[in-house]
Amino acid sequence: MKTYEQINDRIESGKAVVLTAEEIIDYVDRKGLAAAAQEVDVVTTATFGPMCSSGCVLNFGHSKPKIRMTEAWIQDVLVYTGLAAVDVYLGATQLRHGDSANMYHPGEFRYGGAHVIEDLVAGKTLQLFALSYGTDCYPLREIRTYFTINDLNQATMTNPRNCYQNYNVAINNSDKTIYTYMGTLEPQRKNANYCSAGQLSPLLNDPLYETIGIGTRVWLAGAHGHVYCEGTQHAGGGARTPDGVPTGGAGTLALTADMKCMKPEFVRGVSLRGYGVSLALGVGIPIPILNEQVLKRTCVRDRDILAPVVDYSHEYPQNTGKVVAQVNYEQLRSGRIEIEGKQIAVGSLSSYYKALEIANLLADEIRRGDFRLSQPLAYLPKDTTMKPLVAREKPA
Amino acid sequence: MSDTVKQKLMLDFPRCECEKPIIYHLVKDYDLVVNVFRAKVTPEERGYLVLDVTGTPENIGRAIDYVKTFHVIVNTTGKGVTRDLDRCTHCGHCVTHCPTEALRIGDPATREVTYNEAECIECLACVRVCPYGACASAF
């Protein structure tokens, strides 16, 4: 048994033993659970993939004379101005003004909110255009100017939902190519796409939310941030294997961090053909090895994690809830799965390569004493389910 | 007779040379097996022709000299489809769309996506499906 304080003391003194969620599997096999739980202080987990529910709060400071922005665009991408005078929220999936979207199907969606976020973090010069109706205290009605992230007072990434615990594997049962947020899917189950770091993924290594909770310090694209809330659509009560590993979506995290401390290679605009824009983010979360039970859960392997295979031509869009099959991540990573006798080529939207890089970067930071762990202020619910949106003809 | 080799050629037509039946002469005069990947040669526009030729090294060399007499820029190093390694995140979305496995998971341990240009037939599937805009076409 170790406490957060003991682990942080070991980190401070540069003596912490830190392994990635991939390395820990063989390590525990070799040393045994009890000995490994004594030796290992932290296991690092990570993921890198598209996370649509991302965005940031920006504060521009005041112009002379002042403006209370009522409509604003950055690089022609609309931002939300229903906040204080010079605060805006820039959402990752917002399209650029004039984008033809899917008018000429499939649309290309080359630039949107996520690309603005990428450019901001990369330090590029961006254009702000804002309008106002003008007030006695904020008389300016229009401004067009150029800025970089360093000109902003705050640039705080505030993501309602990241780090989905587990996720669907998408296939296409129809006779035509479909374009989805799970990528391009060829007809008649020619390919399948998944999106999870599997055995490296944060919430799959802490499936019952024993260490990752509200207040947990996280590595968000290189910055040190926090879990500020359960993520939207968090449904901790979903089906699980006997080891507690969810067999579907389940938990999510709401994450925040200072964008001025982020590294551009982990903040990437994503253009999903025929679907839209998303933001790919790198997230690393350390798991303190408080006891054998926590350690045992970090030893989860790709073959122990099941993902539901779902048809995105009919079952997903019509919200039928039908699952074609369950496959594990070892099968998915082999590049081929067999469903109902048919071999299907498997691709991925999340990058295991990047996730591994992040898990190692975070492990190095902890070993150097540059990243301390924080105990959750509150834990994530384990019993909630996801409600549907009911279309009612009159008030209930 | 020396062994045959396969050579990828990228021909850039700076101005119109389209009245000449170049491919006919490559086959007929230089005994080459020609496999055209991409071609666009129209009057009054910059054009291109990307092809594989198979034949003896001597004949390929002579054929290249012949093509150059039409002020065509001959590129033998490829680059019709390029991958920007700074933009590639190695997600692996492209690998199921690449028909020749030119793009593939090179290392099963790190899941690094590798690109072997020699295998590329320039179908441009990767350019269309890459979410990060990492793959690009020269034309």
Side-chain angles (χ1 to χ4, degrees):
Chain A
M1 294 283 280
K2 291 194 207 86
T3 64
Y4 281 85
E5 289 71 29
Q6 287 166 336
I7 291 170
N8 276 333
D9 286 347
R10 305 248 300 163
I11 292 171
E12 196 110 310
S13 62
K15 288 181 189 149
V17 177
V18 188
L19 279 86
T20 68
E22 191 183 90
E23 294 165 338
I24 194 68
I25 298 170
D26 288 342
Y27 192 86
V28 168
D29 269 356
R30 265 198 333 269
K31 299 259 179 172
L33 193 64
Q38 289 287 322
E39 286 171 35
V40 179
D41 297 297
V42 182
V43 169
T44 59
T45 68
T47 184
F48 181 95
M51 305 188 193
C52 287
S53 208
S54 298
C56 54
V57 175
L58 309 176
N59 177 280
F60 285 99
H62 287 288
S63 55
K64 207 170 178 176
K66 291 181 177 178
I67 185 168
R68 184 260 169 278
M69 299 176 187
T70 50
E71 286 177 281
W73 294 260
I74 302 173
Q75 299 291 85
D76 294 332
V77 175
L78 185 70
V79 295
Y80 180 72
T81 49
L83 301 164
V86 290
D87 281 347
V88 304
Y89 188 82
L90 165 61
T93 66
Q94 187 71 47
L95 302 187
R96 182 161 53 175
H97 178 76
D99 191 306
S100 57
N102 261 342
M103 191 186 290
Y104 309 104
H105 190 263
E108 294 189 4
F109 304 99
R110 288 198 190 176
Y111 195 89
H115 300 90
V116 178
I117 292 171
E118 176 183 332
D119 286 347
L120 252 181
V121 171
K124 291 192 182 165
T125 299
L126 306 177
Q127 185 198 71
L128 167 72
F129 177 61
L131 297 171
S132 175
Y133 48 78
T135 71
D136 289 339
C137 44
Y138 295 103
L140 195 66
R141 286 167 182 251
E142 184 177 325
I143 188 166
R144 190 186 295 274
T145 182
Y146 299 86
F147 70 99
T148 73
I149 193 168
N150 294 322
D151 296 318
L152 301 175
N153 291 306
Q154 284 80 27
T156 310
M157 193 167 274
T158 318
N159 302 336
R161 178 167 75 247
N162 287 167
C163 295
Y164 235 124
Q165 193 159 14
N166 198 348
Y167 214 77
N168 292 343
V169 178
I171 57 167
N172 173 10
N173 281 349
S174 78
D175 291 330
K176 62 178 178 52
T177 301
I178 60 171
Y179 302 92
T180 74
Y181 71 88
M182 291 294 285
T184 303
L185 295 166
E186 306 285 346
Q188 295 170 345
R189 302 183 175 182
K190 192 158 167 271
N191 66 330
N193 284 332
Y194 69 97
C195 189
S196 171
Q199 64 191 15
L200 262 188
S201 189
L203 289 178
L204 288 170
N205 282 279
D206 183 12
L208 298 169
Y209 324 127
E210 290 165 304
T211 68
I212 301 172
I214 296 162
T216 293
R217 185 171 290 130
V218 302
W219 187 101
L220 183 54
H224 296 177
H226 286 95
V227 178
Y228 70 84
C229 191
E230 68 180 69
T232 52
Q233 291 180 195
H234 175 88
R240 286 182 151 80
T241 66
D243 287 331
V245 180
T247 53
T252 68
L253 302 173
L255 302 180
T256 184
D258 183 355
M259 286 167 70
K260 294 186 183 189
C261 302
M262 289 184 180
K263 295 187 170 77
E265 62 264 41
F266 301 107
V267 183
R268 285 298 182 77
V270 175
S271 302
L272 291 159
R273 195 174 170 81
Y275 175 75
V277 173
S278 187
L279 182 69
L281 275 177
V283 183
I285 304 186
I287 294 182
I289 303 307
L290 302 171
N291 54 51
E292 288 180 22
Q293 184 59 40
V294 169
L295 177 64
K296 184 161 179 276
R297 299 206 197 282
T298 65
C299 298
V300 70
R301 292 168 196 263
D302 278 339
R303 64 170 182 251
D304 305 325
I305 309 165
L306 295 172
V309 180
V310 175
D311 163 46
Y312 272 62
S313 69
H314 176 77
E315 310 298 346
Y316 182 89
Q318 297 306 320
N319 206 357
T320 65
K322 188 179 169 194
V323 170
V324 178
Q326 298 268 359
V327 292
N328 68 47
Y329 281 91
E330 190 174 273
Q331 292 166 322
L332 289 166
R333 283 198 217 293
S334 76
R336 207 151 275 276
I337 52 172
E338 189 180 312
I339 301 217
E340 293 168 358
K342 185 182 161 116
Q343 294 279 321
I344 304 175
V346 181
S348 168
L349 282 171
S350 60
S351 169
Y352 193 86
Y353 179 88
K354 282 264 190 193
L356 203 54
E357 185 184 353
I358 293 163
N360 280 304
L361 281 173
L362 176 58
D364 285 342
E365 276 191 44
I366 297 170
R367 286 185 201 113
R368 286 199 309 268
D370 293 339
F371 191 108
R372 289 165 57 85
L373 275 52
S374 61
Q375 184 164 6
L377 306 166
Y379 289 89
L380 301 172
K382 284 196 285 263
D383 56 351
T384 48
T385 54
M386 198 169 136
K387 291 179 198 150
L389 172 63
V390 180
R392 298 187 175 99
E393 287 184 11
K394 55 185 182 190
Chain B
M1 187 184 149
S2 52
D3 290 339
T4 60
V5 294
K6 192 190 270 186
Q7 169 79 57
K8 195 167 180 179
L9 298 178
M10 207 162 84
L11 311 182
D12 200 343
F13 294 70
R15 57 176 191 269
C16 180
E17 296 290 349
C18 61
E19 71 275 17
K20 306 288 194 309
I22 290 176
I23 290 184
Y24 167 84
H25 286 291
L26 294 183
V27 176
K28 185 89 175 158
D29 302 348
Y30 302 98
D31 197 24
L32 300 180
V33 177
V34 174
N35 187 11
V36 177
F37 298 143
R38 285 201 279 168
K40 184 184 175 220
V41 186
T42 50
E44 296 173 18
E45 256 187 288
R46 179 178 172 231
Y48 59 82
L49 186 58
V50 185
L51 68 165
D52 257 355
V53 293
T54 306
T56 64
E58 298 77 37
N59 277 342
I60 291 175
R62 287 170 53 222
I64 289 173
D65 290 341
Y66 160 72
V67 170
K68 281 180 177 168
T69 63
F70 302 110
H71 310 288
V72 170
I73 298 164
V74 180
N75 180 341
T76 56
T77 56
K79 304 277 187 291
V81 172
T82 52
R83 178 176 65 148
D84 182 346
L85 267 174
D86 287 337
R87 287 219 60 82
C88 178
T89 68
H90 306 273
C91 70
H93 185 225
C94 55
V95 298
T96 63
H97 297 276
C98 179
T100 61
E101 297 186 9
L103 285 157
R104 55 197 286 269
I105 303 289
D107 179 350
T110 65
R111 314 293 302 169
E112 182 179 9
V113 175
T114 54
Y115 173 45
N116 179 5
E117 175 149 15
E119 300 288 321
C120 175
I121 57 165
E122 307 200 4
C123 70
L124 308 186
C126 55
V127 177
R128 286 189 294 272
V129 303
C130 177
Y132 299 93
C135 292
S137 166
F139 309 110

